[in-house]
Amino acid sequence: MIHIPKAEYGRRRKALMAQMEPNSIAILPAAAVAIRNRDVEHVYRQDSDFQYLSGFPEPQAVIVLMPGRAHGEYILFCRERNAERELWDGLRAGQEGAIRDYGADDAFPITDIDDILPGLIEGRDRVYSAMGSNPEFDRHLMEWINVIRSKANLGAQPPNEFVALDHLLHDMRLYKSAAELKVMREAARISAQAHIRAMQAARPGLYEYSLEAELDYEFRKGGAKMPAYGSIVAAGRNSCILHYQQNDAVLKDGDLVLIDAGCEIDCYASDITRTWPVSGKFSPEQKAIYEVVLAAQEAAFAEIAPDKHWNQAHEATVRVITEGLVRLGLLEGDVEALIASEAYRAFYMHRAGHWLGMDVHDVGEYRVGGEWRVLEVGMTLTVEPGIYIGPNDRSVAKKWRGIGVRIEDDVVVTKTGCEILTRGVPKTVADIEALMAAARAQAA
Ligand code: GLY
Ligand code: MN
Ligand code: MN
């Protein structure tokens, strides 16, 4: 299994600590277990920031980083080994494992945190934490601070600054290392295979969930624990619902099906959308819309390179889509005026992409100092233009209604432009039709 090597977690902690102010401490909690319903838990997914700094996969754990501390800079609070609980729920690293397998300098039982952590915080000037995102943890943090305050008359020194960790950490997460790109390429490869499998399996009379099952099969076979987000399998008019997740409608001859799905490998997401005909052959209208979206995506790729800013790719998609809609008679008027008035938003109502990484909509600022962020090598993002023509849209001729097309790929910014991580799935009309025809010929 391709995964982030242990040494990289150590490098990340060091890099973060090097940016922290002198005499400070950072504290991060693991994700909580979420209850699904009585006695059933949601599949556990570690918090992305916590995972980024530790690779530690268990709940009920807290990372403490104390740059410059002579007795160890990285302390992990985690669950103790417990033969009975491990018999029921699975193995735990315990404190020994935290040090041996996860590089902690020291480790303590999570049940001792209230006794130990105030003593670690005391005397440090600044506390870095993800303030505001986890109210329960924020409350704990204030309790620990109050323990120190209550001892002020004995000379205890509570910290006097609380700093949001996100600025430092999320900026680090925005730039992907070689190891991260390797994992993301693997997630992309498996997801590409899943999309191909769904194209090959499609037949009128199957259901949207039949195709979702094909995706899940490839994801799990490839070693992914779960999709990076709820898979969207939207046939016919459902393709016009941007975040459709019902996935239970029948696939009809003549429908397009839009699949937006990607798996997660070692907590790194992929995010791919392909749109293709259930029958294996695009109708003239479907093809016309598809070609506009594809051209928009190509135009966007050309605007992704170091020194180009975040919005240039989006602007390129807006131009190509507006021109295309005018050419097809779906919009009327002067292209410049239609862009200025955002008339295209009736059919293209989302942005051309987002940062991609441990979170499918990854962290990182899109603007810096009020200006669009300039792209740099190692940033990863999606490129996903779309056109959606509502099934009841009386402003257009009937033949166009209910067509929804999105095409989405994942890219990394390189020295000379960008590398498409998800090029393993066919994308041109000819290539999709050929792949689907071959699958049918084989099945016949
Ligand atoms: N799958 C969600 C997105 O494309 O942003
Ligand atoms: Mn996306
Ligand atoms: Mn997507």
Side-chain angles (χ1 to χ4, degrees):
M1 250 311 258
I2 290 175
H3 59 90
I4 300 295
K6 189 174 148 187
E8 176 139 336
Y9 294 109
R11 279 198 292 276
R12 293 171 180 176
R13 289 190 295 270
K14 279 215 161 23
L16 175 63
M17 286 194 274
Q19 295 177 69
M20 289 166 61
E21 297 285 339
N23 201 34
S24 59
I25 182 170
I27 309 173
L28 296 92
V33 171
I35 301 297
R36 181 176 179 277
N37 58 311
R38 190 177 163 82
D39 287 348
V40 181
E41 296 166 357
H42 280 286
V43 177
Y44 186 70
R45 165 57 157 79
Q46 188 54 278
D47 173 81
S48 296
D49 286 338
F50 189 98
Q51 176 76 18
Y52 183 78
L53 291 173
S54 69
F56 191 72
E58 298 182 20
Q60 296 181 51
V62 172
I63 292 171
V64 178
L65 297 177
M66 305 179 69
R69 180 168 175 268
H71 299 301
E73 297 183 307
Y74 172 32
I75 294 155
L76 193 59
F77 289 89
C78 60
R79 300 180 303 187
E80 284 182 278
R81 306 278 324 250
N82 175 322
E84 190 187 348
R85 285 319 322 158
E86 290 182 53
L87 170 69
W88 284 86
D89 302 330
L91 297 182
R92 300 172 172 190
Q95 287 67 54
E96 253 180 59
I99 294 167
R100 185 187 59 230
D101 301 332
Y102 295 95
D105 295 317
D106 212 345
F108 300 104
I110 187 74
T111 45
D112 291 349
I113 195 166
D114 291 340
D115 296 330
I116 296 172
L117 192 49
L120 295 176
I121 299 172
E122 192 203 323
R124 296 265 157 179
D125 295 330
R126 282 178 199 79
V127 179
Y128 289 81
S129 75
M131 289 175 300
S133 58
N134 182 340
E136 197 187 332
F137 184 76
D138 290 352
R139 196 167 45 74
H140 278 301
L141 184 57
M142 285 310 126
E143 282 166 6
W144 295 320
I145 301 297
N146 283 333
V147 169
I148 305 171
R149 284 188 182 138
S150 71
K151 294 180 183 156
N153 58 347
L154 304 171
Q157 289 190 330
N160 46 33
E161 268 189 52
F162 295 85
V163 189
L165 186 58
D166 311 14
H167 300 301
L168 297 182
L169 196 52
H170 293 177
D171 209 60
M172 285 173 62
R173 280 178 53 189
L174 182 54
Y175 300 85
K176 272 64 177 182
S177 69
E180 289 180 290
L181 290 174
K182 211 167 155 187
V183 173
M184 291 184 74
R185 280 195 192 92
E186 176 69 353
R189 186 190 66 75
I190 296 163
S191 301
Q193 194 50 44
H195 278 264
I196 289 173
R197 189 181 176 89
M199 286 180 192
Q200 290 170 330
R203 300 286 183 278
L206 291 178
Y207 290 81
E208 292 167 339
Y209 56 71
S210 319
L211 301 183
E212 188 179 6
E214 303 292 340
L215 301 168
D216 288 342
Y217 175 79
E218 286 292 340
F219 291 168
R220 288 299 277 137
K221 196 160 68 98
K225 196 167 170 193
M226 58 188 121
Y229 53 91
S231 300
I232 296 167
V233 183
R237 57 165 59 196
N238 297 335
S239 60
C240 298
I241 303 171
L242 298 180
H243 286 165
Y244 177 78
Q245 302 222 329
Q246 223 167 304
N247 297 3
D248 61 359
V250 71
L251 308 179
K252 295 202 288 284
D253 207 2
D255 279 354
L256 282 179
V257 55
L258 180 158
I259 296 186
D260 182 344
C263 70
E264 182 176 284
I265 293 288
D266 205 12
C267 290
Y268 284 83
S270 55
D271 184 6
I272 303 179
T273 307
R274 289 292 184 269
T275 311
W276 36 267
V278 169
S279 69
K281 193 105 186 102
F282 285 84
S283 74
E285 289 77 23
Q286 291 167 348
K287 183 173 170 190
I289 298 295
Y290 190 90
E291 297 287 16
V292 174
V293 178
L294 189 58
Q297 202 204 30
E298 290 295 341
F301 290 145
E303 294 300 326
I304 298 174
D307 299 331
K308 302 209 185 241
H309 69 65
W310 166 258
N311 208 42
Q312 282 177 247
H314 179 72
E315 288 165 2
T317 61
V318 163
R319 177 162 298 276
V320 173
I321 285 176
T322 305
E323 285 168 358
L325 291 170
V326 169
R327 198 169 56 249
L328 297 176
L330 287 148
L331 282 179
E332 273 175 42
D334 171 58
V335 168
E336 299 305 327
L338 292 168
I339 290 174
S341 67
E342 300 188 345
Y344 58 87
R345 285 177 63 95
F347 304 104
Y348 175 34
M349 57 295 278
H350 58 73
R351 293 195 48 86
H354 48 82
W355 301 131
L356 180 75
M358 300 187 79
D359 296 310
V360 63
H361 292 174
D362 208 26
V363 294
E365 300 291 344
Y366 292 100
R367 287 177 183 269
V368 176
E371 303 290 332
W372 290 112
R373 188 163 198 151
V374 173
L375 300 177
E376 293 175 62
V377 172
M379 293 176 171
T380 46
L381 54 141
T382 67
V383 183
E384 49 178 307
I387 294 177
Y388 314 89
I389 308 167
N392 303 314
D393 186 345
R394 291 177 180 280
S395 75
V396 301
K398 205 169 170 189
K399 63 178 182 177
W400 299 111
R401 293 179 201 163
I403 295 179
V405 173
R406 178 163 65 255
I407 307 173
E408 175 172 29
D409 284 286
D410 305 341
V411 308
V412 55
V413 180
T414 62
K415 277 192 201 134
T416 52
C418 67
E419 173 197 337
I420 302 172
L421 302 174
T422 45
R423 55 167 73 257
V425 208
K427 198 159 55 174
T428 63
V429 165
D431 286 350
I432 289 172
E433 289 185 347
L435 181 128
M436 294 184 74
R440 270 146 215 250
Q442 206 166 23

mmCIF file with all atom_site columns, all heavy atoms in Angstrom, residues 229 232 260-261 271-273 354 360 384 406 408, ligand 3:
data_model
loop_
_atom_site.group_PDB
_atom_site.id
_atom_site.type_symbol
_atom_site.label_atom_id
_atom_site.label_alt_id
_atom_site.label_comp_id
_atom_site.label_asym_id
_atom_site.label_entity_id
_atom_site.label_seq_id
_atom_site.pdbx_PDB_ins_code
_atom_site.Cartn_x
_atom_site.Cartn_y
_atom_site.Cartn_z
_atom_site.occupancy
_atom_site.B_iso_or_equiv
_atom_site.pdbx_formal_charge
_atom_site.auth_seq_id
_atom_site.auth_comp_id
_atom_site.auth_asym_id
_atom_site.auth_atom_id
_atom_site.pdbx_PDB_model_num
ATOM   1   N  N   . TYR A 1 229 ? -15.693 11.494 -0.453  1.00 0.00 ? 229 TYR A N   1
ATOM   2   C  CA  . TYR A 1 229 ? -16.945 12.240 -0.220  1.00 0.00 ? 229 TYR A CA  1
ATOM   3   C  C   . TYR A 1 229 ? -18.049 11.363 -0.792  1.00 0.00 ? 229 TYR A C   1
ATOM   4   O  O   . TYR A 1 229 ? -17.773 10.378 -1.488  1.00 0.00 ? 229 TYR A O   1
ATOM   5   C  CB  . TYR A 1 229 ? -16.908 13.615 -0.928  1.00 0.00 ? 229 TYR A CB  1
ATOM   6   C  CG  . TYR A 1 229 ? -16.557 13.514 -2.392  1.00 0.00 ? 229 TYR A CG  1
ATOM   7   C  CD1 . TYR A 1 229 ? -17.549 13.382 -3.353  1.00 0.00 ? 229 TYR A CD1 1
ATOM   8   C  CD2 . TYR A 1 229 ? -15.236 13.488 -2.803  1.00 0.00 ? 229 TYR A CD2 1
ATOM   9   C  CE1 . TYR A 1 229 ? -17.228 13.240 -4.702  1.00 0.00 ? 229 TYR A CE1 1
ATOM   10  C  CE2 . TYR A 1 229 ? -14.903 13.342 -4.143  1.00 0.00 ? 229 TYR A CE2 1
ATOM   11  C  CZ  . TYR A 1 229 ? -15.901 13.222 -5.078  1.00 0.00 ? 229 TYR A CZ  1
ATOM   12  O  OH  . TYR A 1 229 ? -15.571 13.071 -6.403  1.00 0.00 ? 229 TYR A OH  1
ATOM   13  N  N   . ILE A 1 232 ? -21.530 10.895 -6.214  1.00 0.00 ? 232 ILE A N   1
ATOM   14  C  CA  . ILE A 1 232 ? -22.691 11.413 -6.946  1.00 0.00 ? 232 ILE A CA  1
ATOM   15  C  C   . ILE A 1 232 ? -22.839 10.579 -8.213  1.00 0.00 ? 232 ILE A C   1
ATOM   16  O  O   . ILE A 1 232 ? -21.925 10.562 -9.044  1.00 0.00 ? 232 ILE A O   1
ATOM   17  C  CB  . ILE A 1 232 ? -22.472 12.900 -7.315  1.00 0.00 ? 232 ILE A CB  1
ATOM   18  C  CG1 . ILE A 1 232 ? -22.366 13.754 -6.044  1.00 0.00 ? 232 ILE A CG1 1
ATOM   19  C  CG2 . ILE A 1 232 ? -23.589 13.393 -8.239  1.00 0.00 ? 232 ILE A CG2 1
ATOM   20  C  CD1 . ILE A 1 232 ? -21.834 15.170 -6.302  1.00 0.00 ? 232 ILE A CD1 1
ATOM   21  N  N   . ASP A 1 260 ? -19.636 11.845 -10.129 1.00 0.00 ? 260 ASP A N   1
ATOM   22  C  CA  . ASP A 1 260 ? -18.612 12.640 -9.436  1.00 0.00 ? 260 ASP A CA  1
ATOM   23  C  C   . ASP A 1 260 ? -18.203 11.818 -8.232  1.00 0.00 ? 260 ASP A C   1
ATOM   24  O  O   . ASP A 1 260 ? -18.955 11.724 -7.251  1.00 0.00 ? 260 ASP A O   1
ATOM   25  C  CB  . ASP A 1 260 ? -19.221 13.993 -9.028  1.00 0.00 ? 260 ASP A CB  1
ATOM   26  C  CG  . ASP A 1 260 ? -18.211 14.918 -8.341  1.00 0.00 ? 260 ASP A CG  1
ATOM   27  O  OD1 . ASP A 1 260 ? -17.144 14.444 -7.909  1.00 0.00 ? 260 ASP A OD1 1
ATOM   28  O  OD2 . ASP A 1 260 ? -18.515 16.128 -8.236  1.00 0.00 ? 260 ASP A OD2 1
ATOM   29  N  N   . ALA A 1 261 ? -17.035 11.184 -8.309  1.00 0.00 ? 261 ALA A N   1
ATOM   30  C  CA  . ALA A 1 261 ? -16.630 10.261 -7.248  1.00 0.00 ? 261 ALA A CA  1
ATOM   31  C  C   . ALA A 1 261 ? -15.124 10.104 -7.236  1.00 0.00 ? 261 ALA A C   1
ATOM   32  O  O   . ALA A 1 261 ? -14.474 10.145 -8.280  1.00 0.00 ? 261 ALA A O   1
ATOM   33  C  CB  . ALA A 1 261 ? -17.281 8.895  -7.464  1.00 0.00 ? 261 ALA A CB  1
ATOM   34  N  N   . ASP A 1 271 ? -10.826 13.398 -6.800  1.00 0.00 ? 271 ASP A N   1
ATOM   35  C  CA  . ASP A 1 271 ? -12.135 14.008 -7.059  1.00 0.00 ? 271 ASP A CA  1
ATOM   36  C  C   . ASP A 1 271 ? -12.308 14.099 -8.569  1.00 0.00 ? 271 ASP A C   1
ATOM   37  O  O   . ASP A 1 271 ? -11.777 15.003 -9.207  1.00 0.00 ? 271 ASP A O   1
ATOM   38  C  CB  . ASP A 1 271 ? -12.141 15.396 -6.391  1.00 0.00 ? 271 ASP A CB  1
ATOM   39  C  CG  . ASP A 1 271 ? -13.485 16.107 -6.507  1.00 0.00 ? 271 ASP A CG  1
ATOM   40  O  OD1 . ASP A 1 271 ? -14.439 15.493 -7.006  1.00 0.00 ? 271 ASP A OD1 1
ATOM   41  O  OD2 . ASP A 1 271 ? -13.555 17.277 -6.091  1.00 0.00 ? 271 ASP A OD2 1
ATOM   42  N  N   . ILE A 1 272 ? -13.027 13.137 -9.123  1.00 0.00 ? 272 ILE A N   1
ATOM   43  C  CA  . ILE A 1 272 ? -13.152 13.039 -10.590 1.00 0.00 ? 272 ILE A CA  1
ATOM   44  C  C   . ILE A 1 272 ? -14.630 13.096 -10.979 1.00 0.00 ? 272 ILE A C   1
ATOM   45  O  O   . ILE A 1 272 ? -15.463 12.459 -10.339 1.00 0.00 ? 272 ILE A O   1
ATOM   46  C  CB  . ILE A 1 272 ? -12.590 11.691 -11.121 1.00 0.00 ? 272 ILE A CB  1
ATOM   47  C  CG1 . ILE A 1 272 ? -11.124 11.507 -10.707 1.00 0.00 ? 272 ILE A CG1 1
ATOM   48  C  CG2 . ILE A 1 272 ? -12.749 11.593 -12.636 1.00 0.00 ? 272 ILE A CG2 1
ATOM   49  C  CD1 . ILE A 1 272 ? -10.517 10.182 -11.188 1.00 0.00 ? 272 ILE A CD1 1
ATOM   50  N  N   . THR A 1 273 ? -14.932 13.834 -12.029 1.00 0.00 ? 273 THR A N   1
ATOM   51  C  CA  . THR A 1 273 ? -16.275 13.768 -12.622 1.00 0.00 ? 273 THR A CA  1
ATOM   52  C  C   . THR A 1 273 ? -16.166 13.418 -14.104 1.00 0.00 ? 273 THR A C   1
ATOM   53  O  O   . THR A 1 273 ? -15.326 13.984 -14.820 1.00 0.00 ? 273 THR A O   1
ATOM   54  C  CB  . THR A 1 273 ? -17.029 15.104 -12.491 1.00 0.00 ? 273 THR A CB  1
ATOM   55  O  OG1 . THR A 1 273 ? -17.024 15.509 -11.129 1.00 0.00 ? 273 THR A OG1 1
ATOM   56  C  CG2 . THR A 1 273 ? -18.470 14.959 -12.959 1.00 0.00 ? 273 THR A CG2 1
ATOM   57  N  N   . HIS A 1 354 ? -11.254 23.871 -6.802  1.00 0.00 ? 354 HIS A N   1
ATOM   58  C  CA  . HIS A 1 354 ? -10.922 24.112 -5.386  1.00 0.00 ? 354 HIS A CA  1
ATOM   59  C  C   . HIS A 1 354 ? -9.599  23.429 -5.091  1.00 0.00 ? 354 HIS A C   1
ATOM   60  O  O   . HIS A 1 354 ? -9.179  22.530 -5.839  1.00 0.00 ? 354 HIS A O   1
ATOM   61  C  CB  . HIS A 1 354 ? -12.042 23.565 -4.486  1.00 0.00 ? 354 HIS A CB  1
ATOM   62  C  CG  . HIS A 1 354 ? -12.472 22.157 -4.827  1.00 0.00 ? 354 HIS A CG  1
ATOM   63  N  ND1 . HIS A 1 354 ? -11.790 21.048 -4.401  1.00 0.00 ? 354 HIS A ND1 1
ATOM   64  C  CD2 . HIS A 1 354 ? -13.490 21.685 -5.599  1.00 0.00 ? 354 HIS A CD2 1
ATOM   65  C  CE1 . HIS A 1 354 ? -12.382 19.954 -4.874  1.00 0.00 ? 354 HIS A CE1 1
ATOM   66  N  NE2 . HIS A 1 354 ? -13.409 20.313 -5.619  1.00 0.00 ? 354 HIS A NE2 1
ATOM   67  N  N   . VAL A 1 360 ? -11.248 16.977 0.585   1.00 0.00 ? 360 VAL A N   1
ATOM   68  C  CA  . VAL A 1 360 ? -11.557 17.115 -0.842  1.00 0.00 ? 360 VAL A CA  1
ATOM   69  C  C   . VAL A 1 360 ? -11.657 18.596 -1.206  1.00 0.00 ? 360 VAL A C   1
ATOM   70  O  O   . VAL A 1 360 ? -11.129 19.011 -2.252  1.00 0.00 ? 360 VAL A O   1
ATOM   71  C  CB  . VAL A 1 360 ? -12.814 16.310 -1.247  1.00 0.00 ? 360 VAL A CB  1
ATOM   72  C  CG1 . VAL A 1 360 ? -14.061 16.795 -0.548  1.00 0.00 ? 360 VAL A CG1 1
ATOM   73  C  CG2 . VAL A 1 360 ? -12.997 16.358 -2.754  1.00 0.00 ? 360 VAL A CG2 1
ATOM   74  N  N   . GLU A 1 384 ? -13.014 21.782 -12.857 1.00 0.00 ? 384 GLU A N   1
ATOM   75  C  CA  . GLU A 1 384 ? -14.308 21.110 -13.023 1.00 0.00 ? 384 GLU A CA  1
ATOM   76  C  C   . GLU A 1 384 ? -15.416 22.011 -13.552 1.00 0.00 ? 384 GLU A C   1
ATOM   77  O  O   . GLU A 1 384 ? -16.428 22.225 -12.887 1.00 0.00 ? 384 GLU A O   1
ATOM   78  C  CB  . GLU A 1 384 ? -14.744 20.504 -11.694 1.00 0.00 ? 384 GLU A CB  1
ATOM   79  C  CG  . GLU A 1 384 ? -14.667 21.443 -10.490 1.00 0.00 ? 384 GLU A CG  1
ATOM   80  C  CD  . GLU A 1 384 ? -15.166 20.756 -9.218  1.00 0.00 ? 384 GLU A CD  1
ATOM   81  O  OE1 . GLU A 1 384 ? -16.290 20.225 -9.250  1.00 0.00 ? 384 GLU A OE1 1
ATOM   82  O  OE2 . GLU A 1 384 ? -14.459 20.766 -8.211  1.00 0.00 ? 384 GLU A OE2 1
ATOM   83  N  N   . ARG A 1 406 ? -20.638 17.820 -16.292 1.00 0.00 ? 406 ARG A N   1
ATOM   84  C  CA  . ARG A 1 406 ? -19.452 18.335 -15.592 1.00 0.00 ? 406 ARG A CA  1
ATOM   85  C  C   . ARG A 1 406 ? -18.299 17.405 -15.929 1.00 0.00 ? 406 ARG A C   1
ATOM   86  O  O   . ARG A 1 406 ? -18.493 16.194 -16.062 1.00 0.00 ? 406 ARG A O   1
ATOM   87  C  CB  . ARG A 1 406 ? -19.681 18.392 -14.066 1.00 0.00 ? 406 ARG A CB  1
ATOM   88  C  CG  . ARG A 1 406 ? -18.462 18.864 -13.282 1.00 0.00 ? 406 ARG A CG  1
ATOM   89  C  CD  . ARG A 1 406 ? -18.760 19.320 -11.841 1.00 0.00 ? 406 ARG A CD  1
ATOM   90  N  NE  . ARG A 1 406 ? -19.231 18.277 -10.965 1.00 0.00 ? 406 ARG A NE  1
ATOM   91  C  CZ  . ARG A 1 406 ? -20.488 18.119 -10.568 1.00 0.00 ? 406 ARG A CZ  1
ATOM   92  N  NH1 . ARG A 1 406 ? -21.416 18.953 -10.993 1.00 0.00 ? 406 ARG A NH1 1
ATOM   93  N  NH2 . ARG A 1 406 ? -20.834 17.136 -9.749  1.00 0.00 ? 406 ARG A NH2 1
ATOM   94  N  N   . GLU A 1 408 ? -14.371 16.800 -14.511 1.00 0.00 ? 408 GLU A N   1
ATOM   95  C  CA  . GLU A 1 408 ? -13.499 17.213 -13.409 1.00 0.00 ? 408 GLU A CA  1
ATOM   96  C  C   . GLU A 1 408 ? -12.245 16.360 -13.352 1.00 0.00 ? 408 GLU A C   1
ATOM   97  O  O   . GLU A 1 408 ? -12.311 15.135 -13.353 1.00 0.00 ? 408 GLU A O   1
ATOM   98  C  CB  . GLU A 1 408 ? -14.257 17.078 -12.076 1.00 0.00 ? 408 GLU A CB  1
ATOM   99  C  CG  . GLU A 1 408 ? -13.388 17.377 -10.854 1.00 0.00 ? 408 GLU A CG  1
ATOM   100 C  CD  . GLU A 1 408 ? -14.186 17.421 -9.555  1.00 0.00 ? 408 GLU A CD  1
ATOM   101 O  OE1 . GLU A 1 408 ? -15.217 16.723 -9.460  1.00 0.00 ? 408 GLU A OE1 1
ATOM   102 O  OE2 . GLU A 1 408 ? -13.773 18.155 -8.640  1.00 0.00 ? 408 GLU A OE2 1
HETATM 103 MN MN  . MN  B 2 .   ? -16.179 16.339 -7.614  1.00 0.00 ? 3   MN  B MN  1
#
